[in-house]
Amino acid sequence: EIGQLADAFNVMTRNLNKTTVSRDLLIQEISERQKTEDALKKSEATLKSIFRVAPIGIGLVAERVFLWVNDQLCSMIGYDREEIVGRSARVIYPSQEEFHRVGMEKYDQIRNHGTGTIETRWQHKDGRIIDVLLSSTPLDPTDFSSGVTFTALDITEQKKSEQERQKLEDRLRQAYKMEAVGTMAGGIAHEFNNILGIILGNAELAIDDVPEWNPAKHSLEEIQKASLRGRDVVRQILSFARISPVTRKPIRISTVIQESLKFVRATIPSSITIRQNILCDAEMILANPTEINQIFINLCSNSAHAIDQETGTISINLETVILTEESAAQYEDLSPGKHIRLSVTDTGKGIRPEIMGRIFDPYFTTKDVDKGLGMGLAVVYGLVKKHDGAIKFVSEVGKGTTAEVLFPTTEELPEIQTKELEDLPGGNERILIVDDEESLVAMVSEMLERKGYEVVGKTSSFEALTLFRKEYDIFDLIITDMAMPEMTGERLTQELLLIRPDIPVILCTGYSERISEEKAKEMGITAYTMKPLRQSALLKTVREVLDEAKSRIQEQGWF
């Protein structure tokens, strides 16, 4: 019995020890669990604190329904947390298409790369559209339904800055293109004007010789008209390149457009209907009528080419508009205020979006090689900018294009024009003509000799200077070209004035970057004229210069 009691005691002792150990383990486990819970609470508080102060939007979605969002996200979209949690993300997208696109692209990225980043646009509660950079990652890469966390960065201002930078770069590129074409235009202008001068001058001389009844008279007059058109084209190219003097005057643009419409109607196919809606009459702009005509005809010509051989309509609208700061910002370099808006709308094939940015590029064209060189809209762009205006194209492929040109109005009134005398007086003075073009020397000499002048012509500036040094007192006037191979007209004039300071000089040029009318007068040059020379203008300038020199001599008592 004593043995049995001892065994029972031992069993009780072992059980008591086990109970003590279990209790200690339980206490230890509870303690560890409490520490873990405290750490989790601290970690959760830390995360909430980070999410609360984060400068970007942060949220959690499941099946694209908001489960949680931070304060910054609420601020971005304008909704309170209570208004957004539990709702579909569709509420912040401006369209169903954008909501669908973002979902497709984002989840494709997550499946392929584990995370996804995409640019999108959200709609603020007040209706504003904001640009957003959205980055997402799933809680469980194998189960998207468990939830996806995301960050959202408002990049609206950054996008605006990028767009402004892009606009500036586009303008700089356009300016460089204009500069390049300007260099080319200046290089050919002088030679081309020499050729036109020979054609125009000889045509005018022939017109004087041919009687009215002779059929050749009409042909010569057509040559004269074509030469004058060629002269205007050269000037317009220089104007578009913005390297020629700006000569503008107050004009009634409605009159110019209505006159140009007659030419447009005569030159485009009869299958194209022209509709006009001229809503302004007395409004004036500061412009060159020939250049406004060129702008309008080019726009109508482009519309006709867009319609091609099909039937269609070109609508011409001319109206007065008042631009605010906001509406003026839609155009390039245009100030608010009163403007005349010229619109040319066609029902043609439209302009593809990928080429819209190149339509003003010199030599860029979508026409066949025999239908244009691609200079039309480049010229139009230059002329519009020269007139402080703006041009914009709106187009939809397959539906047509509208070209809008705006010009600021002016309160200036046009000058009263006086009729130029056709029969200008001649004289008997002796004139020295210097030009490296033999044909020009012969032509100008004949023009002057027919009016009684005595003319000596030289095609070498060195020979002319040598002659003048020997017989400086026999000449009453010098007419010299600017661009000559041996010695420029500028240098020749300086040498002539050193020999005889009172000699009047007329400087002629087709185009020169080195000298302007103001600079010429500072050098002592009496008159500065652009080629090609018309007979009437030449004779008038010669007579005025000689009379002015004679008056100056009489005033100083040199006779």
Side-chain angles (χ1 to χ4, degrees), residues 286-304:
L286 278 176
N288 182 303
T290 300
E291 293 172 342
I292 298 300
N293 175 279
Q294 183 79 355
I295 291 170
F296 179 67
I297 290 176
N298 265 301
L299 293 177
C300 291
S301 175
N302 273 335
S303 290

Side-chain angles (χ1 to χ4, degrees), residues 2 22 55 114 122 140 152 196 283 292 304-305 351 380 400 413 424 499 548:
I2 293 174
S22 297
W122 283 358
D140 182 354
L196 282 175
E283 290 80 359
I292 298 300
H305 280 296
I351 303 172
V380 167
L413 297 176
L424 294 170
I499 299 168
E548 181 184 344

Side-chain angles (χ1 to χ4, degrees), residues 25 39 171 180 300 332 356 372 472 500 548:
L25 289 174
R171 291 179 187 177
C300 291
E332 182 183 358
M356 180 65 81
Y472 63 86
R500 184 176 153 190
E548 181 184 344

Side-chain angles (χ1 to χ4, degrees), residues 160-330:
K160 285 181 180 178
S161 298
E162 289 177 359
Q163 290 169 359
E164 290 299 321
R165 179 178 57 80
Q166 186 62 47
K167 287 181 181 179
L168 179 59
E169 289 179 357
D170 290 343
R171 291 179 187 177
L172 286 173
R173 279 195 294 270
Q174 191 67 30
Y176 292 147
K177 293 170 187 173
M178 296 303 105
E179 182 180 357
V181 175
T183 302
M184 176 200 69
I188 68 171
H190 179 79
E191 291 302 320
F192 195 57
N193 277 327
N194 276 344
I195 296 170
L196 282 175
I198 294 169
I199 297 171
L200 179 60
N202 281 287
E204 290 183 332
L205 287 172
I207 287 171
D208 290 342
D209 293 337
V210 175
E212 291 292 335
W213 55 264
N214 194 317
K217 184 95 168 182
H218 175 71
S219 298
L220 291 167
E221 288 172 346
E222 289 300 311
I223 293 173
Q224 181 188 42
K225 290 178 184 177
S227 300
L228 291 173
R229 285 177 58 192
R231 177 197 65 182
D232 290 340
V233 168
V234 174
R235 290 179 179 176
Q236 287 158 10
I237 292 175
L238 292 174
S239 296
F240 127 80
R242 309 191 82 174
I243 55 177
S244 66
V246 177
T247 54
R248 295 185 290 169
K249 61 183 180 180
I251 65 167
R252 187 173 286 109
I253 188 173
S254 59
T255 302
V256 177
I257 297 302
Q258 287 170 337
E259 290 176 354
S260 300
L261 273 168
K262 300 174 185 176
F263 177 81
V264 170
R265 179 66 280 177
T267 55
I268 67 173
S270 57
S271 59
I272 298 176
T273 302
I274 296 180
R275 294 175 181 167
Q276 55 175 301
N277 187 27
I278 310 298
L279 299 179
C280 60
D281 180 35
E283 290 80 359
M284 311 290 292
I285 65 171
L286 278 176
N288 182 303
T290 300
E291 293 172 342
I292 298 300
N293 175 279
Q294 183 79 355
I295 291 170
F296 179 67
I297 290 176
N298 265 301
L299 293 177
C300 291
S301 175
N302 273 335
S303 290
H305 280 296
I307 296 172
D308 202 15
Q309 301 300 321
E310 305 295 329
T311 58
T313 302
I314 298 176
S315 301
I316 313 299
N317 288 277
L318 194 69
E319 58 186 338
T320 305
V321 294
I322 307 294
L323 297 183
T324 62
E325 289 278 358
E326 184 178 356
S327 57
Q330 299 176 15

